[in-house]
Amino acid sequence: WYSPKKLFNGIYKIITLNLGNSRFFTTYNGSNSVNDLILEKLPNTILLFTTSSITIILIGLFYGTYLASKEGSLPEKFISGLAATSRGVPDWWFSMIMIVVFSFFLHIFPSRATPLSSPNEPGYVLDLLYHMTLPFVTLVLIGFSPFVYYVKYIVLRILDEDFIKTLRIMGIPKRNILYVHALKNAGPQLSTILGLGITASLSGSLLVEQIFDWPGMGNLFYNAITQNDSPLIIGLG
């Protein structure tokens, strides 16, 4: 593997996205190409993690901005405590708790997020969305409070600016000050974390997907590691 020719050929194949073939895994159509495996699982990861990230962002922007005007109130203190708590709780542990509660005790959602039907069947999309509900709710519950707290902190700093005080003196409605002027001026600071959050969601979460058995990139990566499928590990890495 360390010969210059083999090393150069390996790097060249990776650069040209010629990732080779998996040793143990195949797509629903029977292909063992690493490219085909990634293309099959990537939409599921984007569906779950990108939609949950967008939901967290929307909740954070509106509710965080609202709490910035309610500093010291009970909801603001609750979100601050929840944000601190959620950062200390591992995602995989919370995911297991959600499965125990909603799958085994309440019997509302299935414990496995892998749809029972195949992609070629007519009801596959609805089946996929139903199995996606529990991991989606779990990811939103894990991530929304820290982002709400972050938005509240940024907007709170904007509300101390002199131009906000001027708008208050001018009699501009409080709602307009919060959601038009303050949130707009907080945009440059929020855009960085928004971009990072959306980008990170594309890779999914290895442990969360494995626990829910969601057919995405993270689950595929975990299985490739356990099976020592080096072409697939290199392709996903």
Side-chain angles (χ1 to χ4, degrees):
W1 68 268
Y2 53 83
S3 73
K5 183 178 180 179
K6 289 184 178 180
L7 185 60
F8 175 79
N9 289 337
I11 296 175
Y12 177 77
K13 288 181 179 180
I14 293 174
I15 293 175
T16 57
L17 298 181
N18 182 10
L19 303 177
N21 297 322
S22 171
R23 297 174 180 172
F24 305 104
F25 300 95
T26 60
T27 64
Y28 290 112
N29 297 324
S31 172
N32 65 341
S33 169
V34 172
N35 290 1
D36 293 341
L37 283 164
I38 293 175
L39 290 177
E40 182 182 76
K41 303 300 183 182
L42 182 60
N44 292 335
T45 294
I46 293 176
L47 176 65
L48 175 60
F49 287 88
T50 303
T51 53
S52 61
S53 296
I54 292 174
T55 303
I56 290 170
I57 289 169
L58 293 176
I59 295 174
L61 289 177
F62 288 97
Y63 195 53
T65 304
Y66 169 77
L67 290 181
S69 64
K70 302 291 183 180
E71 187 180 13
S73 64
L74 184 60
E76 190 271 337
K77 293 179 179 178
F78 175 75
I79 287 295
S80 299
L82 188 62
T85 303
S86 63
R87 300 309 296 175
V89 175
D91 295 355
W92 58 266
W93 183 84
F94 188 74
S95 300
M96 294 177 66
I97 295 299
M98 293 290 287
I99 291 175
V100 170
V101 173
F102 289 97
S103 298
F104 295 105
F105 287 166
L106 301 179
H107 303 287
I108 298 176
F109 300 111
S111 58
R112 296 178 68 248
T114 300
L116 300 178
S117 57
S118 65
N120 299 325
E121 297 181 17
Y124 175 75
V125 175
L126 293 177
D127 193 19
L128 181 69
L129 294 176
Y130 171 65
H131 284 77
M132 166 185 155
T133 304
L134 185 57
F136 172 80
V137 172
T138 302
L139 290 173
V140 172
L141 291 177
I142 291 172
F144 92 94
S145 57
F147 190 71
V148 168
Y149 182 79
Y150 181 79
V151 172
K152 184 212 72 172
Y153 175 74
I154 297 298
V155 174
L156 199 59
R157 294 178 59 186
I158 300 295
L159 292 177
D160 288 333
E161 298 290 338
D162 292 337
F163 77 93
I164 295 293
K165 297 177 182 178
T166 304
L167 292 174
R168 289 171 178 165
I169 295 174
M170 293 172 59
I172 303 297
K174 185 177 180 180
R175 185 181 182 88
N176 289 350
I177 292 176
L178 279 174
Y179 292 100
V180 177
H181 300 282
L183 188 58
K184 179 181 178 180
N185 283 273
Q189 301 178 63
L190 294 174
S191 59
T192 301
I193 192 169
L194 295 181
L196 292 174
I198 294 294
T199 304
S201 69
L202 298 179
S203 62
S205 175
L206 188 147
L207 289 178
V208 171
E209 286 194 7
Q210 174 61 23
I211 289 172
F212 284 105
D213 198 20
W214 176 253
M217 300 271 287
N219 196 1
L220 181 63
F221 200 7
Y222 179 90
N223 292 328
I225 293 173
T226 57
Q227 295 291 333
N228 195 22
D229 193 332
S230 54
L232 190 54
I233 293 173
I234 293 173
L236 290 169

